[in-house]
Amino acid sequence: GCAYRLCCVKFLLGKKAFEQFMKMTFYGQFVAGEDHKSIKSLIQKNRAFGVGSVLDYSVEEDLTQEDAVTKEMDSCVSATEKEGMSMDHREKQYKAHQQFGDRRGGVTGARTYFYSDEAKCDQHMETFLKCIKASGGSSVDGFSAIKMTALGRPQFLLQFSEVLVKWKRFFSFLAAQQGRDGMEALEQRLELQPLQVHRTHRVGETIDRLDWNSLIDDRIKISDLLVVPNLETGQLEPLLNKFTEEEEKQMKRMLQRLDVLANHAEEHSVRLMVDAEQTYFQPAISTLTVEMQRIYNRGRPVIFNTYQCYLKEAYDIVTMDVELSRREGWFFGAKLVRGAYMYQERSRAEEIGYEDPINPDYETTNMMYHKCLDYILDEIVLNRNANVMVASHNEDTVKHTLRRMNELGLTPTENKVYFGQLLGMCDQISFPLGQAGFPVYKYVPYGPVNEVIPYLSRRAQENRGFMKGSQRERELLWKELKRRLASGQVFYRPQPEPGL
């Protein structure tokens, strides 16, 4: 809808006039510029006010719904399934469904990647590498964001997620059988006698704890890891009957691209945020991110995992990962968000027939957000190895964070708690925080005008909610203008950052 209307405006005005119009309106509000050079002035201006940047090259394919569905179904269905082999044991939630093939449906707050081929994934990796390099060049404490679905065929994320969920259920079943279901998850050390494997394991782990170096090793087959327990036979069984040689290579390449990005971030002293995605991908995304943290977060927090607090299981996931980092001695890095896929997740669960993974209402999600945040803040005080970005436009959440930091004696200069908002939104939160010395970042999209139309369309769709907030912003702006006129201080000069 919005993209179509923008295209109509472009047709009427012509390319040059359209680009100028966009730069004076939507584009100028929500996008920093067309390339790395043109965004430097905005980054430096924000930096002068104590506001850092999370760079995001926001070019997207402008696909029709039909093309999106075709690409998704082709990339999420394995050779086994295409041959019509029985897949009755597969979980409905972790199979591709044509009705929800266009993953953009109902989503306004997140970018969507569709798999074309391996060359396209390499292009996405190169784009992320440029963002990381630019982030390292723009500040000493930059962030860069990536999405795993941009780096490979999503079929692997679906299958790996299903394996992880089945193992989790299996461990829960064993815990109940062995009378340990009331214990904390990481304390549930269970005997795996039903599988004829004489070892003990913690809930949430597969038969052997995943090792990142093994995952990216060409000599080890990923499909050998995609096994699930069968309680009736006492054997481990492959999730699928077979994988083609090309599918094996595709899975391995996705992990190797991730490793290249993590290495590049470490070399350029940039922190890498792995964005959260749909729940049928997320178990794999979260687990692989933790595996990278175990390697790269030994000396400082390089890799940040994203936790969606609209999920019913958000707190359990956060506490599990924090506890694992504490036991293994690496830096826990988290970005807390409420979540961007709520409407899509609810309709998919209802239509396909599995439990809705989303909290029942907004208030419950708020409580979950604060519960997860409080747990991480307490961990920072206890061990000083945890780090969190409060990615929120909610003023109550920001105030809650500041109040808790004050109660716990956490100072802004420790650089353990960060705040994040989108460029063009909630400046009344970002800039006062920056001037007060708190680490705060703007999510900075950039790219050519004609190629960021899908991104701008989503921002336009969010206008209803945005305009509610803008009423308050207008009131604050009017109040500040009157104060400046009364005091004779019309122009404001930011206070220099400490040490500059």
Side-chain angles (χ1 to χ4, degrees):
C2 290
Y4 174 76
R5 286 192 287 272
L6 286 173
C7 287
C8 289
V9 174
K10 179 182 175 182
F11 177 77
L12 291 171
L13 295 178
K15 184 180 177 182
K16 288 187 177 179
F18 173 75
E19 290 184 1
Q20 190 61 37
F21 167 75
M22 291 299 290
K23 287 179 180 179
M24 294 170 61
T25 54
F26 280 121
Y27 184 94
Q29 176 73 12
F30 297 116
V31 182
E34 300 207 36
D35 51 36
H36 293 114
K37 292 181 180 179
S38 64
I39 66 176
K40 279 186 177 179
S41 60
L42 182 138
I43 291 172
Q44 290 168 357
K45 176 186 171 186
N46 285 355
R47 191 76 247 173
F49 286 89
V51 178
S53 299
V54 181
L55 299 189
D56 178 42
Y57 190 64
S58 295
V59 170
E60 302 178 34
E61 282 186 285
D62 195 8
L63 298 173
T64 65
Q65 184 176 3
E66 183 180 356
D67 287 342
V69 171
T70 299
K71 283 195 172 192
E72 184 72 358
M73 296 307 294
D74 285 346
S75 64
C76 284
V77 179
S78 68
T80 301
E81 292 167 299
K82 286 177 181 176
E83 290 173 9
M85 296 184 184
S86 174
M87 304 298 295
D88 293 339
H89 64 290
R90 293 289 308 278
E91 298 276 338
K92 290 185 287 187
Q93 184 175 355
Y94 300 99
K95 289 173 67 175
H97 293 267
Q98 184 142 356
Q99 182 180 346
F100 298 95
D102 186 352
R103 286 183 278 116
R104 300 169 301 183
V107 178
T108 60
R111 182 159 26 131
T112 303
Y113 288 94
F114 292 95
Y115 180 82
S116 296
D117 51 41
E118 292 298 293
K120 191 71 173 178
C121 294
D122 286 335
Q123 288 178 22
H124 291 153
M125 182 185 72
E126 291 299 325
T127 297
F128 290 146
L129 288 172
K130 289 176 183 176
C131 280
I132 291 169
K133 188 175 181 179
S135 296
S138 64
S139 67
V140 294
D141 55 356
F143 277 96
S144 192
I146 65 169
K147 276 186 179 289
M148 280 201 196
T149 50
L151 298 172
R153 190 173 175 183
Q155 170 201 342
F156 168 55
L157 296 176
L158 275 174
Q159 293 164 347
F160 192 24
S161 291
E162 182 174 354
V163 168
L164 291 166
V165 168
K166 284 188 171 182
W167 273 104
K168 183 178 178 182
R169 289 178 187 166
F170 168 68
F171 280 117
S172 297
F173 170 77
L174 280 189
Q177 274 200 333
Q178 298 176 23
R180 303 181 186 185
D181 52 331
M183 300 169 61
E184 289 292 326
L186 279 170
E187 299 297 334
Q188 293 176 340
R189 302 190 69 82
L190 308 170
E191 298 298 326
L192 299 188
Q193 298 295 340
L195 289 181
Q196 304 171 0
V197 181
H198 303 285
R199 306 180 193 164
T200 59
H201 296 270
R202 296 192 292 264
V203 173
E205 295 184 351
T206 53
I207 277 294
D208 285 307
R209 175 120 191 111
L210 292 169
D211 175 75
W212 184 252
N213 290 325
S214 297
L215 285 169
I216 62 174
D217 190 332
D218 281 319
R219 296 167 297 179
I220 297 175
K221 286 188 173 184
I222 297 291
S223 58
D224 290 342
L225 298 172
L226 298 181
V227 293
V228 293
N230 185 323
L231 287 176
E232 294 180 3
T233 64
Q235 300 294 323
L236 296 175
E237 298 177 347
L239 181 70
L240 297 177
N241 293 331
K242 68 175 182 178
F243 287 85
T244 67
E245 186 177 344
E246 183 56 28
E247 284 174 339
E248 287 279 0
K249 289 179 180 177
Q250 288 168 350
M251 291 189 285
K252 187 67 69 174
R253 287 187 200 122
M254 178 187 233
L255 299 172
Q256 290 169 341
R257 290 183 189 106
L258 277 170
D259 195 58
V260 168
L261 293 173
N263 269 302
H264 206 65
E266 186 176 47
E267 289 170 7
H268 287 80
S269 298
V270 171
R271 288 160 293 187
L272 197 64
M273 293 193 304
V274 181
D275 285 345
E277 303 191 47
Q278 285 90 345
T279 51
Y280 42 91
F281 295 139
Q282 194 55 36
I285 291 171
S286 187
T287 298
L288 292 172
T289 304
V290 167
E291 290 309 312
M292 286 195 293
Q293 288 179 319
R294 297 176 75 221
I295 297 293
Y296 291 98
N297 285 16
R298 289 290 173 180
R300 63 184 182 87
V302 176
I303 309 296
F304 278 65
N305 212 344
T306 301
Y307 297 89
Q308 300 162 307
C309 294
Y310 66 5
L311 296 180
K312 294 174 182 176
E313 62 177 2
Y315 183 75
D316 292 339
I317 298 171
V318 168
T319 54
M320 192 82 143
D321 290 353
V322 167
E323 178 65 17
L324 188 63
S325 72
R326 185 189 302 154
R327 293 187 179 197
E328 296 186 347
W330 43 269
F331 284 83
F332 176 80
K335 178 176 76 167
L336 292 185
V337 300
R338 280 171 171 77
Y341 306 97
M342 183 179 72
Y343 298 111
Q344 185 186 106
E345 294 279 11
R346 285 200 194 286
S347 59
R348 191 177 190 270
E350 182 179 3
E351 183 67 28
I352 296 173
Y354 57 88
E355 183 185 351
D356 184 353
I358 308 297
N359 287 320
D361 52 49
Y362 186 71
E363 282 309 309
T364 308
T365 293
N366 278 344
M367 288 190 290
M368 179 67 80
Y369 194 107
H370 291 180
K371 186 178 181 182
C372 293
L373 176 59
D374 287 343
Y375 184 85
I376 298 171
L377 292 175
D378 288 338
E379 177 66 15
I380 293 172
V381 173
L382 287 171
N383 293 304
R384 301 291 173 182
N385 274 359
N387 304 261
V388 63
M389 173 171 278
V390 183
S392 177
H393 294 162
N394 187 302
E395 287 190 30
D396 291 335
T397 293
V398 172
K399 289 176 181 176
H400 172 86
T401 308
L402 297 175
R403 183 169 60 252
R404 289 285 290 131
M405 288 179 69
N406 186 53
E407 291 169 358
L408 296 169
L410 289 172
T411 62
T413 54
E414 292 181 74
N415 273 330
K416 295 289 185 182
V417 183
Y418 322 97
F419 297 87
Q421 289 88 36
L422 287 170
L423 181 72
M425 298 179 73
C426 295
D427 287 352
Q428 82 278 8
I429 294 177
S430 308
F431 287 94
L433 283 172
Q435 281 290 277
F438 289 90
V440 58
Y441 293 82
K442 282 292 191 184
Y443 204 90
V444 178
Y446 67 99
V449 175
N450 289 291
E451 295 179 50
V452 297
I453 286 178
Y455 174 82
L456 291 170
S457 298
R458 292 203 310 274
R459 294 283 79 84
Q461 288 174 47
E462 286 183 306
N463 256 359
R464 183 178 299 177
F466 174 63
M467 289 307 291
K468 292 177 183 176
S470 69
Q471 175 64 33
R472 172 162 169 73
E473 290 190 37
R474 284 196 298 272
E475 291 172 359
L476 290 171
L477 286 170
W478 181 240
K479 182 179 178 181
E480 175 66 9
L481 180 59
K482 288 193 289 185
R483 184 194 69 78
R484 291 190 187 189
L485 289 172
S487 65
Q489 182 194 11
V490 178
F491 297 102
Y492 176 73
R493 293 182 180 277
Q495 294 297 319
E497 289 186 80
L500 292 184

